[in-house]
Structure formats: C-alpha cells, structure tokens
Amino acid sequence: DGGCAAASRAALREVVLEPVPVVEHAWLMTDPETWVGSAPFADIPHGLLPRLPTLIRHRYTTAINRWTALPHEGVGLLQRDTDRNPSTSQLWNELLRPFGVHDVASLVFVDRFGCWGFLELWRYGGPFTAGEATALQHALPTLTTQLRRSQANTFSLPTRPAPPGGPVVLLLSNDLEVRAQTPQAAEYLRLLVPPTDGAPAIPAGAYNVAAQLLAVELGVVDHQPQARVHLAEGTWVTLQAARTEGTDDIAVSIAPTPPLARVDVYARCHGLAPREREVLEQLVTGADTRLAARAPDLS
C-alpha cells in the first residue's frame, strides 16, 4: 500500500503488543465505506500460508466476531464471546485450532468518517483476559486516528501513473483459487503486497473482495464487494468482485479509482465536515471560488 499505512501499522503494532503479548496477528486496512479489507500486514503460522485463500474466505463468511459486527467498544474475544465454546466459529474450528490457537482478539478501527482497518491477535496457551481487552479498548481511538492519518498522507505524495497495460482482471473459484489472470495483474499485485525474497505476489486484495462477494451472497453482510486502496506513490486503485455470466467463477477487476471516488476517500481521510466536503466536490469539478461557495449557500 505504498508504505505509508504499512509503516504506520509496524509502529502501532508495538503499542498493541506491549500490554497484550501475542505470537501472531493479521492487520488489514479497509475501504472506509465498504469495510472491505486490503493490503494485509500479518505474521501468521508458516503452515497456514498455503491455506490463505481458505483463511480469508472463512474470515469473511464467519459471522462470529466479524469486524463489521463487533460491539460498540470495538473489541471481541472469541473465548469470552462464545461462552468458552469457540468451535461455533468455523474459522477457528477448521483452521486456527489445528495450529494451536486458543483465543482470538478482534479489533475494528472505526470512527465517524468510516472504518479504517481490522486487526486479529492470535493467542496460544490460554484466553485473553478482561484487563487485556480493556487495554485494547483504551488504545483504539488513538490507533484509529493514526491509521486514518496514514491514509491521508498518501494524498500528499507525488502521483505517478498506474502501471501501463490492458485491463487487470483475475478469475477466482468459489474457493478463491486463481484460475487465470491478465498479464498486467502480476505488476499490480506486486505493488499491492510487495513480495519478499523473489516470491510470487500474493493476490490478497483479490481474495478479500471475492470473499466479500461470498459473504454478501450468504447474507452475512450487504456492503459492496469492492475496496479502494493506495497502490503506490499517491495512486489509488479500486478492486471489485462480480460473478461471471454462465460460470461459478468470480471476476476481480483492478482499475484506477475514479475522481469522485478519490474525493470521497480524501474527504474521509482528512475528516472533512459535510459543508467542507460540498465545497471540495465543487472545486474538483472545476468551479471557481465564487461558484463553489454559491452551491452550498456560503457567503
């Protein structure tokens, strides 16, 4: 995600993990309007990497402690919230329990401008305590503000054009296996989640929007299966998932974020008031100062 949000999460991770020591975590930025994740920053068991599509699919289609359904305080604890019966969570039962994960703390970073991310902390050997949950709750407002500001900072970077080439499309199965992709997809995926040590790029963003489509089809949520994400150097792209006609495949497209959609993200990131947002929308359509003021009846 261009480094801004990743660097921010790397620094903020220490704030989270100091009072609440854990072994692994998964932290995703989200589209502030659709709450769909992208750009993961994670440390998960190596053995789970080959099952990453399944992990993401279960995270989106499992309602228990889903980040979109967390209580007002923004922190869910799997053991506590299932009355010590975490096997009711398909995600835990099928994927996390075999790796020895005992409890999961789920956090959502949301304010009046939107949802900026969600974080899961995996605990081995025992449950999270009430005191740890309280510590996480106290940290949430500061962490949320910092995440939103990290996204705002991307708009001050010099913008470079998106990578050249034709349409960027991936075809995924219902199990989120990549069946095919257009040649340009690899470059976009590399920029979205930079691989290490020459490894192939992981299509995590595509997994997330496709999993959101599955969740919508199952009635878990109703937000659109799309996410706007900072690609690199001030460039924003939109990932969107849809069914292909006549097949069970899921098509995920990646395209430059349209101007008005960029304005929406900009306004949310900078915490603009409704009237400020009206003026901004007038200015980006080419209105001069007088016209921009006249539309919302400003002096």
Side-chain angles (χ1 to χ4, degrees):
D1 57 352
C4 288
S8 178
R9 282 175 287 175
L12 296 176
R13 177 179 57 183
E14 306 309 317
V15 177
V16 175
L17 299 187
E18 182 178 358
V20 185
V22 292
V23 178
E24 276 99 17
H25 68 276
W27 197 337
L28 280 80
M29 303 300 290
T30 54
D31 183 300
E33 181 178 12
T34 66
W35 296 45
V36 178
S38 61
F41 179 74
D43 179 12
I44 66 175
H46 183 73
L48 260 179
L49 286 176
R51 303 197 67 189
L52 184 61
T54 304
L55 175 67
I56 294 175
R57 176 166 56 85
H58 282 329
R59 177 63 280 175
Y60 275 78
T61 57
T62 298
I64 296 174
N65 277 358
R66 198 182 195 273
W67 65 101
T68 53
L70 289 177
H72 178 70
E73 58 267 24
V75 177
L77 303 181
L78 182 62
Q79 290 283 346
R80 179 197 67 189
D81 299 338
T82 59
D83 293 326
R84 309 299 179 185
N85 185 23
S87 60
T88 55
S89 165
Q90 187 178 20
L91 171 65
W92 183 84
N93 202 40
E94 294 189 14
L95 287 172
L96 302 184
R97 180 171 64 174
F99 283 89
V101 175
H102 183 80
D103 200 3
V104 179
S106 303
L107 291 75
V108 62
F109 304 95
V110 61
D111 59 19
R112 61 193 179 95
F113 305 108
C115 177
W116 303 100
F118 66 89
L119 168 64
E120 294 201 338
L121 306 173
W122 298 351
R123 167 67 57 81
Y124 298 81
F128 287 94
T129 67
E132 289 172 329
T134 299
L136 292 172
Q137 289 166 7
H138 287 165
L140 271 180
T142 299
L143 295 171
T144 300
T145 299
Q146 291 300 320
L147 287 178
R148 178 163 59 81
R149 287 176 177 171
S150 74
Q151 295 293 64
N153 289 339
T154 66
F155 289 94
S156 65
L157 298 173
T159 303
R160 74 172 185 182
V168 182
V169 180
L170 298 90
L171 288 180
L172 280 67
S173 70
N174 278 329
D175 293 328
L176 305 189
E177 295 179 354
V178 179
R179 297 188 185 276
Q181 65 185 42
T182 57
Q184 194 61 22
E187 177 64 12
Y188 275 78
L189 297 175
R190 185 187 66 79
L191 290 171
L192 285 169
V193 184
T196 58
D197 302 325
I202 299 174
Y207 292 155
N208 276 263
V209 292
Q212 176 74 1
L213 177 63
L214 295 175
V216 170
E217 292 174 342
L218 292 172
V220 178
V221 289
D222 58 5
H223 288 143
Q224 293 185 61
Q226 70 175 36
R228 295 163 295 185
V229 57
H230 181 234
L231 181 69
E233 296 184 14
T235 300
W236 282 74
V237 295
T238 299
L239 291 86
Q240 188 163 1
R243 286 288 180 185
T244 58
E245 187 174 0
T247 75
D248 289 333
D249 289 341
I250 300 171
V252 175
S253 62
I254 307 175
T257 301
L260 287 181
R262 277 177 53 91
V263 169
D264 175 70
V265 177
Y266 180 95
R268 292 172 182 270
C269 288
H270 289 85
L272 298 189
R275 300 285 270 179
E276 294 173 323
R277 181 175 179 138
E278 288 181 40
V279 173
L280 173 63
E281 290 173 351
Q282 289 293 319
L283 292 173
V284 299
T285 59
D288 60 21
T289 303
R290 181 171 297 180
L291 289 174
R294 186 183 301 164
D297 295 325
L298 296 175
S299 63

